[in-house]
Amino acid sequence: MSFGYGNLAFADNRRVDRDEVHYRARAFGPDARQLTFLIVNVSPHGLMARCEAHFEVGDRVRVQLPKVGVVIAEVRWSLGGRIGCQFERAVDLASYYELIATMVRAN
């Protein structure tokens, strides 16, 4: 008998742990306008940031990250001045550890 829940164990495994940070980064929206993101958390696969600009799901942004350079990210959700983005390409772990170290030191 199925209750329509699917495979909950699989769904839970899709989430990647994120590292809490508080880092201001330069970004460029889909219209190439320069923005400031306050990155709240990050993982090798994406980030959550606060930003005053309005975004639609599917918008692409470019974000300047320390030690990594410019990454392209797709907006996956946007709510109340916060956005969740998935990187077009995951950041390799060695670069990610350098990124986190730099972001933490900046505080």
Side-chain angles (χ1 to χ4, degrees):
M1 174 183 272
S2 174
F3 292 101
Y5 297 117
N7 186 341
L8 292 179
F10 176 76
D12 287 344
N13 288 335
R14 292 184 311 154
R15 298 195 69 111
V16 174
D17 288 337
R18 293 184 178 259
D19 291 295
E20 300 296 322
V21 295
H22 190 266
Y23 185 83
R24 292 197 185 283
R26 182 180 307 163
F28 296 89
D31 59 359
R33 186 172 46 118
Q34 184 173 321
L35 308 164
T36 299
F37 278 9
L38 175 58
I39 300 173
V40 177
N41 65 45
V42 65
S43 80
H45 302 280
L47 60 81
M48 183 178 90
R50 295 186 185 279
C51 183
E52 293 181 13
H54 175 75
F55 293 96
E56 298 291 332
V57 171
D59 282 349
R60 294 204 180 273
V61 295
R62 292 180 303 144
V63 184
Q64 177 71 46
L65 296 176
K67 304 294 181 184
V68 175
V70 175
V71 295
I72 298 171
E74 180 181 331
V75 175
R76 302 302 295 242
W77 59 268
S78 176
L79 179 65
R82 294 178 301 147
I83 61 170
C85 299
Q86 180 177 1
F87 298 145
E88 189 173 76
R89 292 189 188 115
V91 176
D92 67 88
L93 285 180
S95 298
Y96 181 73
Y97 292 137
E98 289 183 43
L99 167 70
I100 290 298
T102 302
M103 287 179 155
V104 170
R105 276 195 311 263
N107 290 328

